[in-house]
Amino acid sequence: MSSGPERKRSRAESLLGAEARHQLNLAGRLSALAAVLWLPQAAALAWGIAGWVEGAPLSRTLWMALAFTLVGFFRGWAERRAARLAYRAADETLHAQRQALLNREALRVGETSSAALAALLTEKLAALGPWITRFRPAMARARVLPLLYLAVILPISWAAGLVLLVAGPLIPLFMALVGMAAQDASRKQMVELGAMNTLLIDRISALPDLLLLNAAEASRAAFEVRAEALRERTMAVLRVAFLSSTVLELFSALGVAMVAVYVGFSLLGEIGIGTWGLFGPELTLFQGLFLLLLAPDFFQPLRDLASAWHDKAAAEAVADDLAALHTSEAIAVLGQGAEAVALAGPATVTLTGVRVWRGAQSVVLPDVEAGPAGSLALRGPSGVGKSTALDLIAGLLVPSQGELRVAGQALDHATADAWRARLAYVPQLVHIPELSLRAFLSGKPDGEVPLEALRRVRAERFVAALPEGLETVLGESGAGVSGGEARRLLLARALIRGADVILADEPTADLDASTGAAIIALLKGLSDEGRTVIVATHDPALARAMDRIVDLEAAPC
């Protein structure tokens, strides 16, 4: 399981450029240095106050005040410099990511919904800023300061050190527990935010049709439902944030209060234990004041890290969205590698001991052998890795461990293009490019689209009902066809282009019983014709129609 955290960290940190990473490392060191400087400041303040109370010469207090001020100026400079470096790294990272998204869209590498792209460019990418400016410096401070403070406090009083040693680890423990809920809530909020933007763009583009069909009220009701769902997701994130803050403040307040009670009763002479006797038999005023000044700052780095943990959860959710965008773009170009060298050998697929990390989720896949000229159904509850298995077979993901072989060879960067040229991938969410339907199906603006291919996938009627038939431009969001119709078009494209490996993710979803039965018969017929068919499905009828069924189970934690 050691690869899990590494995989999780690399997903967000891979968004950082080399220069931004260097600036953040320097910002973290300066931020930690600025926090460490509180030690001499606290010592100077405690020594000056103790001298003033004990009747020491005024010069002692004045010298301590001067030292406190000079160290404070240097500390302020270090904090300001660290903040500037962190914000500069955040600006560079956001600019680079936005530019990469715009360049990708301009080159039409993948056909992404304009609403989803707008959400990424504005609300979602902006969530990377707090992660860069707050979480990274907070992590640098949390790694250094608590241990350093304990090293200073323990020689003075083992009792105060014991209190902090017990209370301190409780904060990271609860932060980890609450952090898992925070990441899940943030991911759901990001998904809902993208869905809200997509719905808004679709409703605006379809506004004339909605008015003509007198469906404005129904559309408004659907939009209200989506807006309420976004509100609930946002409130869920806030609930987790407030809950974690309350828990962490409680433990830090208890720790500081217990140190204050110990110091107070020790100075009053009521407690005579808790010191090593290295600086005298009893706790002095200087030592007591020094402990009181350090106790809150012992917890401060942990509190800062806990507060910024929600920023990390949001950044991980954004990184997952960017990775999903990359995957969907790779799916969009599958089957278009006509210039790739053909991968020799029959269309076989073999998975042996495969584990893959997708975001924070570990997916363990059973050993699978499929093809050639056969059909296989991957079955199991949602979240066990059916779609991930298809992405692996398509060469869109790289296994963390284990072996994946296709056509008798290991699937890697050298064989991926040739393997994809033989594939037809039918994902759950289909993005149809802004091309004519004829060009989308045949690969050429004037290519031939056999009526038989449309008939076999039950698509001839709705294609004929389109405004311009095969010359209709469906647009980047697939306007004019439903999700089930879009998947049938992808199956028709697989027939027309002669793919010998068919990967289908829930191909019968959103279909009526008659059309679903026709698609099942089609997939079964394709395997009988000598093609390799692998489906991920919840549909028992589709699973039974395949030659083999592999049940997937949740990966052990």
Side-chain angles (χ1 to χ4, degrees):
M1 296 292 289
S2 60
S3 63
E6 294 173 2
R7 188 79 171 185
K8 184 178 178 181
R9 286 194 299 269
S10 65
R11 176 61 59 85
E13 291 195 357
S14 64
L15 304 179
L16 300 173
E19 181 62 23
R21 198 183 304 275
H22 172 71
Q23 291 175 350
L24 279 177
N25 290 336
L26 182 56
R29 289 193 289 269
L30 284 173
S31 180
L33 174 62
V36 168
L37 289 177
W38 174 243
L39 285 171
Q41 275 193 297
L45 185 61
W47 188 251
I49 294 176
W52 174 65
V53 172
E54 295 168 357
L58 181 61
S59 59
R60 169 176 159 179
T61 302
L62 293 178
W63 278 112
M64 292 301 100
L66 178 61
F68 181 88
T69 303
L70 291 177
V71 175
F73 277 124
F74 185 70
R75 183 184 180 193
W77 172 85
E79 289 179 342
R80 182 172 181 270
R81 178 64 176 166
R84 291 186 64 180
L85 287 171
Y87 277 98
R88 186 183 304 167
D91 289 341
E92 291 177 359
T93 301
L94 291 177
H95 174 74
Q97 292 299 321
R98 287 194 176 107
Q99 192 62 49
L101 282 173
L102 291 173
N103 291 342
R104 189 181 302 168
E105 179 67 12
L107 292 174
R108 315 301 294 177
V109 174
E111 300 299 332
T112 308
S113 166
S114 58
L117 182 65
L120 269 175
L121 288 171
T122 53
E123 293 100 332
K124 292 188 178 182
L125 276 181
L128 295 177
W131 168 68
I132 295 173
T133 58
R134 296 177 56 193
F135 177 79
R136 294 293 296 265
M139 178 62 77
R141 294 193 298 270
R143 287 172 176 170
V144 175
L145 294 180
L147 294 178
L148 180 61
Y149 279 27
L150 280 176
V152 173
I153 291 173
L154 279 173
I156 299 175
S157 170
W158 60 262
L162 182 61
V163 169
L164 299 180
L165 190 60
V166 171
L170 293 176
I171 293 181
L173 174 63
F174 279 92
M175 183 173 64
L177 294 176
V178 178
M180 291 185 290
Q183 184 167 347
D184 182 62
S186 296
R187 184 180 293 110
K188 290 179 179 178
Q189 184 197 25
M190 290 297 174
V191 171
E192 199 65 46
L193 183 62
M196 182 75 170
N197 279 273
T198 301
L199 180 65
L200 178 61
I201 295 298
D202 287 345
R203 290 299 183 267
I204 292 175
S205 63
L207 190 57
D209 294 333
L210 292 174
L211 294 176
L212 287 173
L213 296 173
N214 197 24
E217 287 299 326
S219 176
R220 184 181 296 110
F223 193 80
E224 289 176 355
V225 170
R226 183 65 69 181
E228 179 64 20
L230 177 59
R231 186 193 68 81
E232 291 178 356
R233 298 297 188 194
T234 304
M235 294 305 296
V237 174
L238 293 177
R239 279 196 300 271
V240 173
F242 284 124
L243 173 63
S244 61
S245 298
T246 301
V247 172
L248 301 180
E249 290 295 335
L250 172 64
F251 284 110
S252 61
L254 287 175
V256 173
M258 292 179 67
V259 172
V261 168
Y262 165 75
V263 170
F265 279 99
S266 295
L267 294 178
L268 290 173
E270 299 295 331
I271 298 179
I273 62 172
T275 62
W276 302 98
L278 301 176
F279 306 100
E282 298 179 352
L283 198 69
T284 66
L285 178 60
F286 161 71
Q287 293 172 344
L289 291 173
F290 189 51
L291 292 176
L292 288 177
L293 291 171
L294 291 188
D297 265 53
F298 171 82
F299 293 101
Q300 191 59 47
L302 300 175
R303 294 162 65 187
D304 292 342
L305 181 61
S307 176
W309 197 265
H310 303 286
D311 302 326
K312 177 180 182 293
E316 292 288 351
V318 174
D320 288 343
D321 276 1
L322 291 172
L325 174 63
H326 176 73
T327 299
S328 66
E329 289 176 348
I331 291 174
V333 299
L334 287 180
Q336 300 190 16
E339 299 180 0
V341 178
L343 189 65
T348 59
V349 177
T350 305
L351 280 73
T352 306
V354 170
R355 175 191 289 268
V356 63
W357 282 88
R358 196 162 199 174
Q361 180 189 15
S362 172
V363 178
V364 178
L365 299 175
D367 294 349
V368 173
E369 292 186 10
S375 57
L376 174 69
L378 302 177
R379 187 174 61 180
S382 298
V384 297
K386 299 189 298 297
S387 299
T388 298
L390 294 184
D391 288 347
L392 277 168
I393 296 171
L396 305 177
L397 294 176
V398 178
S400 304
Q401 65 184 52
E403 184 181 42
L404 170 59
R405 299 181 68 83
V406 295
Q409 300 186 39
L411 181 59
D412 53 25
H413 68 278
T415 57
D417 288 341
W419 174 244
R420 291 171 185 159
R422 302 173 62 172
L423 292 179
Y425 196 153
V426 184
Q428 290 191 52
L429 299 178
V430 180
H431 295 290
I432 297 181
E434 194 169 352
L435 301 170
S436 69
L437 183 55
R438 181 184 298 277
F440 174 70
L441 294 176
S442 67
K444 300 178 182 179
D446 56 351
E448 182 181 358
V449 178
L451 182 60
E452 176 64 17
L454 298 178
R455 185 193 62 78
R456 291 186 66 182
V457 298
R458 295 286 187 95
E460 73 277 12
R461 290 187 178 180
F462 72 79
V463 169
L466 293 174
E468 299 179 33
L470 290 172
E471 309 307 323
T472 302
V473 177
L474 297 178
E476 61 182 7
S477 62
V481 295
S482 66
E485 291 169 344
R487 286 193 289 274
R488 280 184 275 167
L489 290 177
L490 284 183
L491 286 173
R493 186 170 71 167
L495 291 173
I496 294 170
R497 300 191 183 189
D500 60 352
V501 180
I502 312 294
L503 305 179
D505 195 352
E506 300 289 356
T508 58
D510 307 320
L511 300 180
D512 59 81
S514 175
T515 305
I519 296 302
I520 293 173
L522 169 64
L523 292 171
K524 180 60 178 174
L526 290 175
S527 67
D528 294 339
E529 293 171 7
R531 310 191 199 204
T532 300
V533 177
I534 303 177
V535 299
T537 183
H538 289 97
D539 187 350
L542 175 58
R544 287 193 302 268
M546 300 295 101
D547 297 335
R548 292 178 54 213
I549 299 175
V550 174
D551 290 308
L552 274 60
E553 298 179 356
C557 298

